[in-house]
Amino acid sequence: PTAAWTERCQLKSAIVILASMLAALARLLPYIARVRRSLVLGLACILVATALSLSAPWLLKYVIDGLIAGEDRTRLGLLAAGLVGLALADGAFRYLMRIVLIGASRQVEYDLRQDFFVHLQRLPQSYFQANRTGDLMSRATSDLSAVRMMVGPALMYFSSTALGFVVALSVMFWIDARLTVLALLPLPGVTLGTRYFGRAIHDRFERIQAQLSDMSAIVQEALSGVRVVRAYRQESVQEAVFGEANDEYVRRNDGLIRLQAAFYPLLTLCFGLSGLIVLWFGGRDVMTGRLTLGEFVAFSRYLVLLSWPLIAFGWVINLVQRGVASWKRMLEVLDTPAADVLDCSTPSSP
């Protein structure tokens, strides 16, 4: 009963957290709607670029099988030229993809910064007495940048990698379903690792952002009162206070770096084991004639293309978690009721 109760509590907590994240993200939709044309164009570029990159391994299969079969040089030359053309077109569309989507995220950042600053101007004086200026500066700078990364790069890489993952996996199953299942055996470790490390990275990033706000507040207060500090010879005290806050900031970042340092080698280990399985069993299939050499090379290339989406998913999850945490911090300010502003254009009644 205790275990079941604990599991129900954990499930309820997860549902509450998810609902809170979705509610916060819904507040971003009006800003995203303003750049919807750019997002549609960027997603179209992602679709074309992904299709081109996924076509290259299949074309490479025909090149290798053609070399082994001793086909004429003209056909092989055309296939090689096709590979070069695919690479050039893929690069061009990926360039457009980044220009359009990153540009759209910058526009969202611009709109958010404008609205955030305007709202700060309308807050009552008591709010600034209760909240430190450095903390507000941190929310208007580093937190806003984290939100931009969630809207721009996170959306771009998620769309690209999700489409690439589905298509690459489908082609691998079409080439050899048994080999695909064997290659996927080590990859659940990627999912479990992403789930564990993603949550831990999210918690540590929130602590880092809170500490950065404290540091910004200390610097702002010291600079605004520098005359008083020097008049009473409190320089050493201020240096000690800032040094302690700075040390804590470094310690929290070290904890995040250690997590990330363990996360990416875990992914590399899983992909390495998958590649080893493909090399062993796929090589045997080539020697027995179950697979052609071209199919084996194409399968290996699709496995490489499959590994990047799994890595990118972890990175995207981190960006989204950071962005949601930062957006919630900004909403704490944006949801504060503004003070009644007297309209100076209307003469007051006597």
Side-chain angles (χ1 to χ4, degrees):
T2 303
W5 179 81
T6 303
E7 185 177 353
R8 286 196 299 268
C9 290
Q10 292 177 347
L11 179 59
K12 291 181 180 179
S13 177
I15 293 174
V16 171
I17 293 174
L18 180 60
S20 176
M21 290 178 59
L22 293 177
L25 291 175
R27 299 282 297 277
L28 270 175
L29 292 180
Y31 296 95
I32 296 175
R34 300 174 188 175
V35 294
R36 56 185 179 273
R37 292 183 179 178
S38 296
L39 293 179
V40 171
L41 178 59
L43 292 175
C45 292
I46 288 176
L47 179 63
V48 176
T50 303
L52 291 171
S53 63
L54 292 172
S55 300
W58 194 253
L59 190 59
L60 183 62
K61 177 184 86 71
Y62 287 107
V63 173
I64 294 176
D65 288 341
L67 286 172
I68 295 176
E71 293 184 355
D72 60 281
R73 294 183 179 181
T74 302
R75 184 173 184 274
L76 292 176
L78 291 175
L79 291 175
L83 285 173
V84 175
L86 286 176
L88 292 175
D90 181 26
F93 277 99
R94 290 190 183 277
Y95 172 78
L96 292 175
M97 170 187 75
R98 296 184 64 86
I99 289 294
V100 174
L101 291 179
I102 300 301
S105 69
R106 290 292 184 183
Q107 182 61 45
V108 171
E109 180 187 20
Y110 172 83
D111 294 337
L112 284 173
R113 181 177 287 110
Q114 286 290 110
D115 290 350
F116 191 79
F117 181 79
V118 169
H119 188 72
L120 286 177
Q121 302 301 305
R122 297 176 178 175
L123 291 177
Q125 186 176 358
S126 58
Y127 181 84
F128 297 98
Q129 294 174 349
N131 294 271
R132 295 180 296 182
T133 304
D135 178 68
L136 297 177
M137 292 174 60
S138 176
R139 298 181 193 225
T141 53
S142 60
D143 284 332
L144 187 56
S145 296
V147 175
R148 180 190 65 81
M149 292 292 291
M150 176 181 64
V151 175
L155 175 63
M156 178 179 66
Y157 284 110
F158 174 78
S159 302
S160 176
T161 55
L163 180 60
F165 179 85
V166 172
V167 176
L169 190 62
S170 301
V171 176
M172 289 170 63
F173 268 105
W174 188 83
I175 294 175
D176 193 324
R178 181 184 68 90
L179 187 59
T180 302
V181 172
L182 292 173
L184 293 179
L185 289 179
L187 298 186
V190 176
T191 303
L192 296 177
T194 300
R195 179 180 179 183
Y196 169 76
F197 284 100
R199 182 180 303 172
I201 289 173
H202 170 72
D203 295 338
R204 281 166 173 75
F205 183 77
E206 283 191 330
R207 295 180 57 204
I208 289 172
Q209 289 298 96
Q211 185 62 24
L212 180 60
S213 298
D214 293 340
M215 288 180 58
S216 300
I218 293 172
V219 173
Q220 187 273 331
E221 292 169 359
L223 293 178
S224 61
V226 65
R227 294 182 179 179
V228 177
V229 171
R230 290 191 173 183
Y232 289 92
R233 296 185 179 276
Q234 295 295 305
E235 294 92 340
S236 59
V237 175
Q238 293 296 322
E239 291 173 1
V241 171
F242 180 78
E244 183 178 351
N246 198 17
D247 291 339
E248 178 63 22
Y249 181 72
V250 171
R251 282 193 293 269
R252 294 185 182 185
N253 272 285
D254 284 342
L256 178 61
I257 291 170
R258 282 193 293 270
L259 273 178
Q260 292 175 336
F263 179 48
Y264 292 108
L266 173 64
L267 297 182
T268 303
L269 175 62
C270 294
F271 294 136
L273 291 175
S274 181
L276 183 62
I277 291 174
V278 170
L279 182 62
W280 177 260
F281 290 97
R284 294 175 59 183
D285 289 341
V286 171
M287 289 187 292
T288 58
R290 191 169 180 269
L291 284 177
T292 66
L293 182 59
E295 289 174 336
F296 174 75
V297 172
F299 188 94
S300 301
R301 288 293 302 162
Y302 281 117
L303 181 63
V304 173
L305 293 176
L306 189 67
S307 63
W308 164 243
L310 293 175
I311 295 176
F313 280 145
W315 185 62
V316 167
I317 288 173
N318 294 337
L319 287 181
V320 171
Q321 289 176 333
R322 290 185 178 189
V324 171
S326 296
W327 179 232
K328 286 182 178 179
R329 282 168 48 84
M330 293 184 65
L331 286 177
E332 292 175 1
V333 180
L334 293 172
D335 289 339
T336 302
D340 293 334
V341 181
L342 179 62
D343 189 357
C344 298
S345 62
T346 304
S348 59
S349 59

